[in-house]
Amino acid sequence: MATISRILPYQPWEIDAVEGWLDDMASQGLIFTHYSGGYYYFREDEPQTLRHRFDVHERLADHDKRHEEYRDFGWEHICYVDARTDIYRAAREDAVELNTDEETLRSVMEKSQRRLRNTLIFGEFLCIATVVFLVASICRFGFFRQLLTKSLWDLLPIPLWWFLVIFGDIRLWRSYREMKSRSLLERTYHTREREAQRRREMRTDTVVRLLLLPILLVPLLVDDYDLREHMEIADTGYERYSIQQFLPEAVIGTGNDYAMLYPHALSDEYYFPQQTATGRNYYVSIYEVRGAWLARCYAQEQAHVADAEVVEVANHESAWFYRGTPISKRHYLDTPDTQNLILLQGSLVVEIEYTGPADLKAAALATK
């Protein structure tokens, strides 16, 4: 005979509805055999009229004795669901009814409520921790920086994670509220219409998770460094921001300068570390932003976070200067002597970092 498996269409604490479901399955010729890993297993047989009951109890010292006593009452032990729950089946019409001990039911149900409540509290804690982390990051580095310096695969998980957390919390709250308000001996009847509705809800939950979880895992599988491309500085069209053009009096080193391109979701970042006689201490980051308004928001926010001074630089609509560790490196560096310049022109944002004897601010003001 064939064996088939089914996922429970009700909440586990809706004991009487689950019992009615097992009875209904037997009437369709699917006889319950055992429970394993969240699935209920059935064998195909002739339709039968059977009664199934969950025996909810505290942990037992002698299971075999209890099974034997229930057998005398007309109940056959089928399987364990967990340490506090067994499933029995009766074919006799005169089998004595089980689950009449309100106090034991309430004790076991309250433990289930506490477990669900603790799960819900943990989910809320994750929400709060995520909010705190995001707020702290925004205060330290700015909101728009996260948008302009992340790939699409880095950005997508943020709203999707929030959706899953909120979606899961709503489901948990609803289950907890229903469990808390339910009278323990109150009947929660099984009907095929109600089963069909529950299965539709389960399918919706499954589809949502199957669609979103792979996207959440993509950042773990995609190496951002694979997205960058080596470039020649002469081919970029940004020679005017090189150290030779911007600080002509600086002592130039003999190292090989290079450039990197990082394509992000909302910008393309060109990164130029350049050599001076004292080492690599001149860095230029140029962002080609997808939209002038976003470039303006980013530049203004970075200037605000850094408490930068407004300066006038030719051929740029806005410019700011500040001393100290660059905002992008504050999580791992402390370089108070670094001079920093933020330049804005249309959808172009230029950030220059320099540590050396030359005056970066004076050079910017003298730019023609």
Side-chain angles (χ1 to χ4, degrees):
M1 295 182 183
T3 300
I4 63 173
S5 61
R6 292 285 188 271
I7 296 178
L8 182 64
Y10 299 102
Q11 297 289 353
W13 45 266
E14 295 178 292
I15 295 172
D16 26 33
V18 180
E19 294 169 347
W21 174 61
L22 295 177
D23 296 350
D24 186 54
M25 295 292 279
S27 70
Q28 301 176 57
L30 297 175
I31 310 303
F32 175 64
T33 59
H34 65 284
Y35 167 86
S36 178
Y39 286 87
Y40 286 72
Y41 290 84
F42 302 83
R43 74 170 188 274
E44 293 183 343
D45 206 332
E46 293 296 324
Q48 302 179 36
T49 301
L50 300 173
R51 279 191 293 161
H52 296 78
R53 290 295 181 266
F54 277 60
D55 181 35
V56 181
H57 52 72
E58 297 293 350
R59 292 181 182 271
L60 297 175
D62 191 345
H63 288 273
D64 292 337
K65 181 180 179 180
R66 192 179 185 92
H67 300 338
E68 188 173 341
E69 290 175 351
Y70 280 15
R71 190 180 304 115
D72 294 339
F73 297 148
W75 295 94
E76 174 193 3
H77 181 259
I78 306 301
C79 68
Y80 302 96
V81 175
D82 55 43
R84 295 184 176 86
T85 309
D86 299 82
I87 300 180
Y88 291 84
R89 177 170 59 226
R92 289 167 41 185
E93 294 183 1
D94 62 343
V96 177
E97 187 59 62
L98 302 182
N99 281 339
T100 58
D101 186 351
E102 170 76 14
E103 185 176 346
T104 301
L105 281 173
R106 182 172 297 280
S107 174
V108 175
M109 189 68 73
E110 286 176 350
K111 291 177 181 177
S112 298
Q113 291 173 350
R114 285 196 295 271
R115 286 196 296 269
L116 183 58
R117 181 195 61 200
N118 292 339
T119 303
L120 184 59
I121 291 174
F122 181 72
E124 296 294 335
F125 172 78
L126 287 180
C127 282
I128 295 172
T130 304
V131 171
V132 170
F133 175 79
L134 288 176
V135 170
S137 178
I138 289 171
C139 292
R140 189 169 177 82
F141 306 107
F143 171 77
F144 291 100
R145 182 169 199 85
Q146 307 300 318
L147 298 180
L148 265 61
T149 61
K150 299 292 185 182
S151 69
L152 180 63
W153 298 119
D154 289 324
L155 292 176
L156 273 179
I158 297 175
L160 297 183
W161 164 254
W162 274 100
F163 175 81
L164 283 178
V165 169
I166 294 173
F167 182 79
D169 277 356
I170 290 174
R171 289 303 177 104
L172 282 174
W173 270 118
R174 191 175 73 176
S175 296
Y176 181 71
R177 186 180 66 249
E178 290 177 359
M179 182 188 291
K180 193 74 174 175
S181 63
R182 178 177 181 263
S183 172
L184 298 181
L185 294 182
E186 174 188 349
R187 300 301 297 175
T188 307
Y189 288 102
H190 159 76
T191 65
R192 294 185 182 179
E193 292 77 12
R194 187 164 179 260
E195 178 189 356
Q197 178 185 354
R198 289 287 183 144
R199 292 200 181 280
R200 285 194 296 270
E201 293 175 357
M202 291 167 59
R203 282 195 293 269
T204 300
D205 292 353
T206 302
V207 168
V208 169
R209 288 175 171 83
L210 289 178
L211 288 176
L212 298 186
L213 284 178
I215 300 178
L216 292 173
L217 295 175
V218 165
L220 302 177
L221 305 176
V222 176
D223 187 352
D224 283 348
Y225 289 102
D226 293 338
L227 300 175
R228 64 184 183 179
E229 302 172 10
H230 285 272
M231 304 171 56
E232 294 294 335
I233 290 182
D235 296 335
T236 65
Y238 297 124
E239 295 87 350
R240 59 180 174 149
Y241 297 113
S242 69
I243 189 171
Q244 293 88 347
Q245 296 291 323
F246 214 83
L247 293 169
E249 297 180 359
V251 180
I252 309 301
T254 57
N256 295 323
D257 299 335
Y258 67 93
M260 302 294 291
L261 166 63
Y262 296 83
H264 300 306
L266 298 177
S267 73
D268 288 337
E269 176 187 1
Y270 300 87
Y271 177 65
F272 306 85
Q274 298 178 49
Q275 185 77 30
T276 69
T278 57
R280 289 188 181 276
N281 56 3
Y282 185 85
Y283 305 94
V284 181
S285 294
I286 298 175
Y287 297 96
E288 289 183 348
V289 185
R290 317 274 196 264
W293 68 272
L294 184 57
R296 182 168 59 255
C297 290
Y298 169 69
Q300 292 173 346
E301 180 188 62
Q302 294 294 284
H304 175 73
V305 171
D307 194 21
E309 171 190 358
V310 178
V311 294
E312 296 289 337
V313 177
N315 301 317
H316 293 85
E317 60 186 79
S318 301
W320 300 265
F321 173 83
Y322 68 95
R323 288 182 178 272
T325 305
I327 296 173
S328 61
K329 300 177 180 178
R330 287 183 176 179
H331 60 292
Y332 66 92
L333 278 183
D334 183 18
T335 53
D337 295 330
T338 301
Q339 302 177 60
N340 301 275
L341 196 63
I342 303 173
L343 305 172
L344 171 65
Q345 181 58 43
S347 60
L348 201 71
V349 179
V350 181
E351 296 178 336
I352 299 176
E353 308 167 19
Y354 171 69
T355 304
D359 189 335
L360 183 63
K361 177 181 175 182
L365 294 173
T367 300
K368 298 181 180 179

